Amino acid sequence: MPTDPALPDGRPATEVLAELRALRAADAPTRGGRTFAYVYDAGLEGLDELAAEAYTAFATVNGLDPTVFPSVARLENDVVGAVAALLGAPGAQGTFTSGGTESILLAVKTARDHARTVRGITEPQLVLPSTAHAAFHKAAAYLGVQAVVVPVDPVTFRADAAAMAAALTDRTALVVASTPSYAHGVIDPVAEIAAAAAARGALCHVDACIGGWILPYLRRAGREVEPFDLSVPGVTSLSVDLHKYAYADKGASVVLYRDAELRRHQYFAHAGWPGYPVVNPTVQGTKSGGLLAQAWAVLQHVGEEGYTALAGRVAEASDRLLAGLRSLDGVRVLGDPAAGLVAFTVAGEDGAPDLSMLLHLADEMRESGWYLQPQLSFDALPPNLHLTLTPATVGQVDALLGDLGTALAKARALEPVTVDPALAAFAAELDPDTLGPDEVAGVLAFAGLGEGTGLPGRMAPVLVLLDALPGALKERLLSEFVGSVFRI
């Protein structure tokens, strides 16, 4: 029986590129300073073109084997060397990776294998604050490590160093601190956490994926920044994303270790097959040299003075944004943001965070052309809207605050979005592991996330319902929804 061909006979390049450009038109803008999540925009003329040309020059280079492509080793040594000089200590060693998740995954693997080899731990634990990035939980799930979650201070949103120390056991392989945490943009007490880890013989990883490149330059720009890197006693590894505040293209990150002896636990080597000897420093085997080349090019082009100036622009934007947010009635900034990330919540008439109003506010801002990232409540931590500041947002802060005040007035006038208590009670009884396809489809349809429907115009009703669901059910439904988006 004949089948439809997988591909057309062939289309002109101009037609193919035109369709790609048309597809991009539906996406949130990545330049211009109106998308306050996912995007890191230096606002420097020509930087995107430089990165694209550097990528193209190395797109066909295979980073799998630096003995065949020695340019890969030269570029990686330069990039990792720059990170080590900024954040390391004498003897620090590292690896270029595809992003923060891979850097974190490798740091957890290294800690697991180090604990097994050096300390004889067969059932390792990962101790982390509740605000640690989800990538650590992903790594724990992939690598068979038990995650031990410690609540953070509900006022400062920082990790509780004493509680973290109390959670350590003889099975602890790795302890985590964030600089800053993604959710609230606050910096954990790294020195205290690292000291507690060292006292128990455990490794300590600092998740500096966001702050690792900007914090040192904020210090050079005159801001006070506490030590957080490998110079801090007890810190044994650190991750920093170059596609964030170093403004390289996605995905570019570095995981850094205190020495080569520790880094060797990250590597995978295999000679027990008839093919070529395999040595993989990262999760990936074959990989294009393009991402490494564009990261190298951006670092070389912007340079020390450039990054110091860009960090100063972020700090200036943050100062004006925080002052403006704190002047708005009912708005509360969460914690003490320190590295370009800001989270705020909105109080209702009773003074408590009002989830419905907050999500209405996010919808109103999106209709005005701004994207602020909604974050739902968790444990004792309030729901909030998250903003990522970049140099490109400096000129947008006043406009954002003006539209925010208008949108807040509209949100307060809208009918609150609520969840039927009977539905919430029913959902609480559902077992996400035993739900069948029809049941999952029914709940998704009720939530406004039915297959083929796309996202609704306003997300407040959907997110209010998700906020009310138990965590395991929420995860199952979100996984099914994403599966419906990638439906083939």
Side-chain angles (χ1 to χ4, degrees):
M1 180 180 294
T3 60
D4 292 333
L7 293 170
D9 291 336
R11 299 165 61 188
T14 53
E15 182 181 313
V16 173
L17 292 172
E19 183 169 345
L20 287 174
R21 284 190 288 267
L23 288 171
R24 278 286 288 119
D27 293 341
T30 59
R31 295 295 180 261
R34 295 180 72 91
T35 302
F36 279 77
Y38 305 119
V39 171
Y40 294 82
D41 182 4
L44 295 179
E45 185 176 352
L47 196 63
D48 288 343
E49 291 77 11
L50 170 67
E53 288 192 34
Y55 181 92
T56 300
F58 278 76
T60 59
V61 171
N62 190 343
L64 175 65
D65 191 343
T67 67
V68 178
F69 301 99
S71 61
V72 170
R74 158 66 195 282
L75 294 178
E76 180 155 342
N77 284 334
D78 283 357
V79 169
V80 174
V83 173
L86 194 67
L87 299 169
Q93 301 282 310
T95 304
F96 182 83
T97 77
S98 64
T101 295
E102 187 179 18
S103 289
I104 287 168
L105 186 72
L106 291 169
V108 175
K109 177 197 178 297
T110 297
R112 182 198 67 179
D113 291 0
H114 175 271
R116 179 188 297 157
T117 303
V118 176
R119 298 168 59 203
I121 297 175
T122 57
E123 296 181 343
Q125 293 178 328
L126 167 65
V127 175
L128 65 165
S130 61
T131 49
H133 196 277
F136 287 99
H137 295 273
K138 182 176 182 178
Y142 278 12
L143 297 168
V145 177
Q146 180 188 1
V148 178
V149 179
V150 180
V152 298
D153 186 299
V155 175
T156 66
F157 304 95
R158 302 174 78 212
D160 183 332
M164 294 279 287
L168 304 183
T169 72
D170 290 339
R171 292 170 51 200
T172 302
L174 185 66
V175 185
V176 174
S178 304
T179 59
S181 63
Y182 180 84
H184 308 107
V186 300
I187 294 176
D188 288 337
V190 171
E192 294 90 334
I193 291 172
R200 294 300 296 260
L203 302 182
C204 177
H205 181 81
V206 173
D207 176 13
C209 286
I210 294 166
W213 199 261
I214 191 172
L215 285 170
Y217 289 106
L218 283 173
R219 186 185 290 124
R220 293 181 184 185
R223 302 290 170 131
E224 185 175 346
V225 176
E226 291 294 321
F228 66 91
D229 55 23
L230 285 171
S231 67
V232 177
V235 172
T236 53
S237 61
L238 179 146
S239 49
V240 54
D241 287 357
L242 303 180
H243 59 224
K244 291 188 169 73
Y245 285 109
Y247 308 108
D249 285 344
K250 314 282 185 186
S253 179
V254 167
V255 58
L256 198 65
Y257 301 96
R258 69 183 178 199
D259 54 40
E261 176 63 20
L262 187 56
R263 186 182 63 172
R264 74 177 178 83
H265 295 285
Q266 171 189 295
Y267 283 35
F268 171 81
H270 186 72
W273 74 310
Y276 60 92
V278 172
V279 180
N280 295 148
T282 67
V283 176
Q284 301 175 89
T286 290
K287 52 190 175 184
S288 170
L291 288 171
L292 172 60
Q294 63 84 26
W296 180 91
V298 169
L299 294 183
Q300 294 291 317
H301 178 66
V302 178
E304 291 288 312
E305 294 301 319
Y307 281 117
T308 302
L310 291 172
R313 297 192 71 194
V314 172
E316 190 268 335
S318 180
D319 289 344
R320 287 196 290 122
L321 177 65
L322 290 171
L325 289 174
R326 288 167 175 148
S327 71
L328 293 173
D329 183 44
V331 170
R332 177 167 68 95
V333 174
L334 303 182
D336 183 19
L341 305 188
V342 174
F344 69 92
T345 193
V346 179
E349 293 182 359
D350 61 355
D354 188 322
L355 175 64
S356 175
M357 188 190 304
L358 187 80
L359 297 177
H360 276 321
L361 175 60
D363 283 337
E364 291 294 328
M365 289 298 287
R366 193 156 193 171
E367 290 185 3
S368 298
W370 305 93
Y371 179 73
L372 311 184
Q373 187 175 51
Q375 298 186 139
L376 302 180
S377 58
F378 174 77
D379 202 7
L381 309 181
N384 59 82
L385 295 183
H386 175 278
L387 299 91
T388 299
L389 293 164
T390 69
T393 63
V394 173
Q396 298 281 16
V397 168
D398 292 340
L400 171 74
L401 290 169
D403 285 350
L404 194 63
T406 302
L408 188 55
K410 290 181 179 179
R412 288 192 171 114
L414 292 173
E415 191 71 22
V417 180
T418 58
V419 177
D420 183 342
L423 174 64
F426 170 73
E429 298 299 320
L430 295 176
D431 182 353
D433 293 329
T434 60
L435 286 178
D438 292 342
E439 293 168 305
V440 169
V443 178
L444 284 174
F446 188 88
L449 297 175
E451 183 175 355
T453 62
L455 291 175
R458 295 182 70 89
M459 290 298 295
V462 174
L463 295 176
V464 165
L465 176 59
L466 286 176
D467 191 74
L469 297 178
L473 179 59
K474 191 184 307 182
E475 291 167 355
R476 172 72 193 279
L477 294 178
L478 289 172
S479 295
E480 293 292 339
F481 169 67
V482 171
S484 74
V485 173
F486 298 103
R487 60 187 181 276
I488 296 176

